[in-house]
Amino acid sequence: VAGIIVCLLTSPAQWLPYEFPGANWIFSTIVGFVVSLGGAFLMMRFVQKKILAISEQAQADAQANRFEKAIAGLKSGYKYSNWQLFTRSQIDSQIGMLYFIRRDFKEAFPYLQKAFVRNWAAIGMLGVCYMKRHNTEKMIATFEKGCAANKKEP
């Protein structure tokens, strides 16, 4: 959502050449596209660096068996979910996997349901949660969905 707003705010650059005599509409369109693309790229890089720092800290906390601190750190990354696509579902995947590792399946289940489908580990854990709930149909469907979305994974 915020990325679209940034692109829209930078798009007036494409109309800048019209202010000058002899301006070419093709040139102005190319300039506007490049400026919009550059703004979106810079914004994505900024957000990715912030999320990467949060994920690395959470990983260090999880390796030190400080799961609650790791989960709280990951939840702080929700503020970037409006700036980049699929950020919230990726964070939910990581939180769900941490709860799963702690064997807190009840807490893990809602996060794993919202997990990013390309995160095959989280989708596999969701399938196991369905198995523990004796829901075989959902388990099979979840595993098939995970396999279909991650064809390159072994």
Side-chain angles (χ1 to χ4, degrees):
V1 174
I4 294 170
I5 292 172
V6 168
C7 288
L8 290 175
L9 290 176
T10 58
S11 66
Q14 86 179 39
W15 301 107
L16 185 63
Y18 281 122
E19 298 296 322
F20 302 107
N24 185 347
W25 68 272
I26 295 174
F27 174 73
S28 66
T29 302
I30 292 171
V31 168
F33 180 73
V34 169
V35 169
S36 296
L37 194 62
F41 177 76
L42 290 175
M43 185 202 54
M44 272 185 7
R45 292 285 297 157
F46 172 77
V47 172
Q48 281 179 338
K49 286 181 181 180
K50 295 286 187 181
I51 293 171
L52 182 63
I54 290 170
S55 294
E56 287 175 349
Q57 182 61 45
Q59 183 178 5
D61 289 335
Q63 288 176 346
N65 288 328
R66 297 186 300 257
F67 288 104
E68 292 304 321
K69 186 176 179 185
I71 290 168
L74 286 170
K75 286 182 179 179
S76 72
Y78 281 150
K79 62 186 170 191
Y80 299 112
S81 65
N82 290 333
W83 288 90
Q84 190 167 333
L85 294 173
F86 306 117
T87 300
R88 187 170 190 91
S89 62
Q90 290 173 351
I91 292 172
D92 285 337
S93 298
Q94 293 175 341
I95 293 171
M97 289 191 300
L98 286 175
Y99 279 125
F100 189 91
I101 289 169
R102 289 179 53 196
R103 299 202 180 276
D104 190 354
F105 303 114
K106 185 178 180 182
E107 285 292 323
F109 188 70
Y111 289 104
L112 292 173
Q113 281 183 315
K114 296 181 272 185
F116 188 53
V117 72
R118 297 291 305 244
N119 189 337
W120 60 270
I123 297 300
M125 290 176 182
L126 178 61
V128 171
C129 285
Y130 281 126
M131 181 191 71
K132 289 188 174 288
R133 292 174 179 228
H134 305 289
N135 193 340
T136 309
E137 295 84 23
K138 282 273 200 178
M139 178 194 68
I140 292 170
T142 301
F143 284 137
E144 287 176 354
K145 181 174 90 171
C147 290
N150 299 290
K151 292 181 181 178
K152 292 185 180 180
E153 294 297 327

